Amino acid sequence: MSTEFWKEMDDQILADLYASRAGADFIEEFVTDYGSRFGGSEEERKAGAFLTKRFLELGVDKAWTESFHCHGWTRKETSLHMTAPLNKEFACIALPNCPAGEVEAPLIYLGDGDPQTYADNRDRLKGAIAMVSTANPAFYYRGMHRGEKLGRAVEAGAVGFIWMRGEGGGIPETGSARFGQNCEVPVISISLENGMEILRAAKHGKISLKIWSNNASAPTTSLNAVGEIKGKTKPDEIIIVGGHYDGHDISPAAVDNGTGIAVIMEAAKALARQKGRLDRTIRFIGFAEEEMGLLGSEAYVKAHKDENIVFMLNLDCAGNGYFGKMTLQGWSEDLVWLKQLFEQMHESHIKIGDAIGTYSDMYHFSAVGFPSGSYASSNPTNNGGAPRGYGHTYYDTLDKLNPRTIQLDAILVAKFIMRLATIDQVPFCRKTPAEIAQKLRQRGMEEVMGYELRKMPDEMKY
Ligand SMILES: [Zn+2]
């Protein structure tokens, strides 16, 4: 494919998307009409149906929903009570998949929860309630997800878990406990301010806390929303651009992941105008149930594992800032090619690297061996105490959006996907689950996924 052909398409994509705030307007409509789109809720299913309708309005060839069954969870009431050395009630929320029940136990605080601190407190954790901050560990070589910090505490015998936000503001931070199943022990979140007040009570004696909750869980149905532009000459070679449209029940989820969905919709709009000129098939997918454990993308991969998916690009918190990062998910041999492609696109300011991420919707695609990558953007204002910013809180609101960066990322994604859809040969090779599992093991991720009660790619039944 000639670079003149691409240049002409780039100009049209730019003309269609640049001087617009359609992405931000879409998120406003989406959040206003469908709320938090919590996994398994009626709101979520309606939001999925709406996305397919919108895909058709944007000019794709076909759109449909694909439903699946999974574990569902409903928030009810939760309380946190200090029973010693003082008698006091603290505001808290349950993390999704927190079971109903009551525990009373001494408190063990693990700070930012690096593995050494877990090891040092191992004997004391048995029968205790563990409290850990959302902050990235200051003295560890990598970040640690909530799932790992929780899993390490439960493995050590903790009977309850408190997820304390690592940054002030008086708000707790949500995030599911366990992937697609209830947690073994009650799991709640509190603000930094409440956490610090609890810890100060240690001056008066040993701290004992009581957690009570009556959340409900039952099987539910969710749906992935798909829009497709059929390829002209190589329709069986499929490129996927996806991201999750569900959010956390306590949050408008405007950035995480309203922005990613807006980038998908804007890219779909621009690419649908070029549909006669695209060789490969492009599928735009809004995944359900990501926040509850990547359940929508897992169901999709299981249903489509025999297709020829030549690349999957995941957008989780794309459109969110001027600093973009594209991460291949185990295809480091293609980084030189990708870098050259981005130079040709005049997008060489985007950081490019390779690392398998296990916490968003690209994961099951890479785990089964489909070439995949993720793209997100941000602004470097985060101090590390709350790595998600306002994500997963009450305040992931519309006012956090930057309409301009949504459009810029949609332009980037449309230009990139247009090239993948028209280049003579896509260089990424299909891999096996065993090859991806080996890469995860090399990075020490088998231990982490074990703490999280997750199977390695070569142990999964796809
Ligand atoms: Zn997300």
Side-chain angles (χ1 to χ4, degrees):
M1 196 50 63
S2 73
T3 50
E4 288 80 55
F5 174 83
W6 282 349
K7 170 83 173 64
E8 188 207 325
M9 296 242 265
D10 283 351
D11 288 348
Q12 290 181 11
I13 289 167
L14 214 68
D16 283 340
L17 301 185
Y18 185 72
S20 168
R21 52 164 289 134
D25 289 345
F26 164 81
I27 300 173
E28 186 171 342
E29 182 185 353
F30 198 50
V31 167
T32 305
D33 290 356
Y34 302 102
S36 62
R37 300 99 62 201
F38 188 56
S41 67
E42 190 59 28
E43 262 181 352
E44 189 204 36
R45 288 186 291 270
K46 283 186 176 157
F50 164 77
L51 289 181
T52 58
K53 192 169 133 260
R54 180 56 58 91
F55 280 136
L56 289 173
E57 289 164 6
L58 296 176
V60 304
D61 294 317
K62 254 170 56 177
W64 64 90
T65 58
E66 298 185 17
S67 66
F68 59 94
H69 303 293
C70 61
H71 171 79
W73 179 89
T74 307
R75 177 182 305 285
K76 293 198 165 175
E77 302 146 292
T78 302
S79 66
L80 172 65
H81 198 113
M82 183 186 289
T83 53
L86 310 171
N87 192 343
K88 192 168 179 188
E89 198 82 28
F90 290 88
C92 71
I93 59 168
L95 297 188
N97 290 341
C98 168
E102 181 177 273
V103 290
E104 184 172 355
L107 175 71
I108 301 295
Y109 179 55
L110 299 168
D112 59 25
D114 61 83
Q116 189 59 48
T117 305
Y118 278 88
D120 294 345
N121 287 281
R122 190 162 179 89
D123 295 341
R124 302 166 66 220
L125 274 169
K126 197 167 169 52
I129 291 172
M131 182 160 86
V132 187
S133 153
T134 63
N136 269 326
F139 296 99
Y140 201 48
Y141 71 95
R142 60 171 171 82
M144 288 173 71
H145 190 265
R146 173 187 71 254
E148 180 183 358
K149 292 182 180 180
L150 165 67
R152 284 177 182 270
V154 173
E155 190 271 339
V159 296
F161 184 84
I162 301 177
W163 185 229
M164 181 187 80
R165 187 156 160 93
E167 189 170 287
I171 49 174
E173 179 177 315
T174 192
S176 64
R178 298 304 191 197
F179 280 51
Q181 59 182 299
N182 267 3
C183 190
E184 305 91 311
V185 303
V187 193
I188 63 170
S189 178
I190 60 174
S191 67
L192 175 79
E193 291 82 351
N194 280 338
M196 290 299 146
E197 185 180 341
I198 289 169
L199 292 174
R200 282 193 298 272
K203 286 177 201 154
H204 306 283
K206 208 165 155 33
I207 300 169
S208 187
L209 300 175
K210 184 155 83 179
I211 301 173
W212 171 85
S213 196
N214 65 345
N215 304 305
S217 45
T220 189
T221 303
S222 284
L223 39 93
N224 296 322
V226 188
E228 182 182 88
I229 300 173
K230 198 90 184 154
K232 202 177 51 171
T233 60
K234 297 167 183 164
D236 296 337
E237 294 185 24
I238 298 159
I239 299 159
I240 289 176
V241 190
H244 71 91
Y245 71 88
D246 66 311
H248 273 292
D249 59 337
I250 64 155
S251 177
V255 169
D256 182 10
N257 187 31
T259 55
I261 293 295
V263 169
I264 291 170
M265 302 318 268
E266 286 294 281
K269 177 170 80 184
L271 290 167
R273 299 216 185 158
Q274 310 292 336
K275 62 184 170 188
R277 310 165 82 185
L278 303 169
D279 297 308
R280 296 182 179 83
T281 292
I282 304 172
R283 277 187 202 152
F284 305 93
I285 308 184
F287 293 109
E289 297 271 8
E290 188 269 354
E291 298 288 12
M292 299 302 281
L294 321 182
L295 308 181
S297 50
E298 180 180 347
Y300 189 86
V301 167
K302 284 178 171 166
H304 296 268
K305 62 178 185 301
D306 297 324
E307 288 180 327
N308 186 13
I309 296 172
V310 296
F311 194 74
M312 187 274 180
L313 179 66
N314 184 48
L315 303 171
D316 194 351
C317 301
N320 194 24
Y322 290 99
F323 294 82
K325 195 166 143 185
M326 170 96 58
T327 314
L328 294 181
Q329 303 291 312
W331 275 260
S332 56
E333 63 276 17
D334 295 309
L335 283 174
V336 171
W337 174 84
L338 191 65
K339 209 167 162 21
Q340 284 167 355
L341 191 78
F342 272 59
E343 274 164 22
Q344 196 277 325
M345 285 162 58
H346 308 294
E347 300 278 7
S348 48
H349 56 286
I350 304 293
K351 287 195 171 70
I352 294 176
D354 182 85
I356 303 174
T358 58
Y359 301 108
S360 191
D361 286 320
M362 67 289 177
Y363 172 68
H364 287 288
F365 287 87
S366 69
V368 82
F370 289 133
S372 49
S374 66
Y375 176 78
S377 59
S378 61
N379 290 313
T381 51
N382 200 311
N383 68 11
R388 295 177 186 278
Y390 287 103
H392 291 203
T393 76
Y394 307 127
Y395 301 123
D396 181 358
T397 46
L398 291 165
D399 41 282
K400 309 301 188 302
L401 302 177
N402 181 342
R404 170 52 51 89
T405 54
I406 295 168
Q407 299 308 125
L408 290 177
D409 277 357
I411 290 166
L412 170 83
V413 167
K415 281 158 63 179
F416 175 58
I417 296 300
M418 176 271 284
R419 280 164 173 75
L420 287 185
T422 55
I423 198 167
D424 291 341
Q425 203 177 352
V426 177
F428 307 107
C429 290
R430 176 96 193 242
K431 300 197 178 196
T432 64
E435 287 173 297
I436 300 299
Q438 192 195 359
K439 285 173 182 283
L440 286 169
R441 288 191 178 100
Q442 280 164 357
R443 291 179 53 228
M445 289 302 289
E446 182 162 31
E447 186 193 10
V448 174
M449 293 180 79
Y451 285 126
E452 295 169 347
L453 307 181
R454 298 168 69 190
K455 289 194 176 82
M456 291 289 283
D458 51 354
E459 295 160 348
M460 283 290 294
K461 284 195 186 68
Y462 282 112

